[in-house]
Amino acid sequence: MNKLIPDPPVNTAPTSEAPEAEALLRDREAIKRALDYYLDPPDQYLEKPRSPSTMFMIAPNMDTESLLAQVCESLASASVMASDFAANLLGPQRNTALAIQQIIMLAELAVNRALDNVDPQAT
């Protein structure tokens, strides 16, 4: 990394300040290496693109209706679990759990509407 403004010249004449000048040069070199490392890292330190895990994968040939039905069932289960959990809480924690349950319920309603739009004969 090159600087736009150069450092002031270091006095190279042999004086009693020679050890200080050498220390200053070493410090400048260390600073330059640190800045180069953090501002312009080598390729080996660059992040590699994330590849998703295939441990849990939905079959690519699944139809939209089946996917929406599965989501609807999962949201219904999550809603019941959040409601049961809220029953065991008091005060602000209960209100938070009930708010989470309500968000899940709203998502379930949206998925049900999407499912109705996909297969209107089922209603």
Side-chain angles (χ1 to χ4, degrees):
M1 181 171 105
N2 294 329
K3 292 173 48 175
L4 297 176
I5 302 172
D7 289 331
V10 178
N11 188 2
T12 57
T15 63
S16 62
E17 297 177 351
E20 291 175 9
E22 289 176 12
L24 182 62
L25 282 174
R26 283 194 310 266
D27 289 346
R28 285 183 182 165
E29 290 171 4
I31 291 169
K32 184 179 182 318
R33 282 193 313 271
L35 287 174
D36 286 344
Y37 175 80
Y38 286 106
L39 298 179
D40 188 24
D43 289 340
Q44 67 188 21
Y45 296 112
L46 294 177
E47 289 186 28
K48 294 170 182 60
R50 182 176 132 13
S51 59
S53 171
T54 57
M55 184 174 183
F56 302 104
M57 189 171 114
I58 296 174
N61 59 349
M62 290 295 296
D63 61 307
T64 304
E65 184 180 358
S66 298
L67 293 171
L68 287 172
Q70 182 63 37
V71 170
C72 186
E73 291 174 11
S74 296
L75 287 171
S77 298
S79 179
V80 169
M81 287 189 292
S83 181
D84 288 347
F85 181 64
N88 296 323
L89 298 174
L90 298 173
Q93 290 85 12
R94 177 181 168 83
N95 294 339
T96 302
L98 287 173
I100 292 169
Q101 189 266 338
Q102 185 177 14
I103 292 169
I104 293 169
M105 183 188 67
L106 291 172
E108 183 183 1
L109 288 172
V111 170
N112 276 326
R113 176 56 57 96
L115 192 55
D116 290 342
N117 291 342
V118 169
D119 188 15
Q121 301 90 346
T123 58

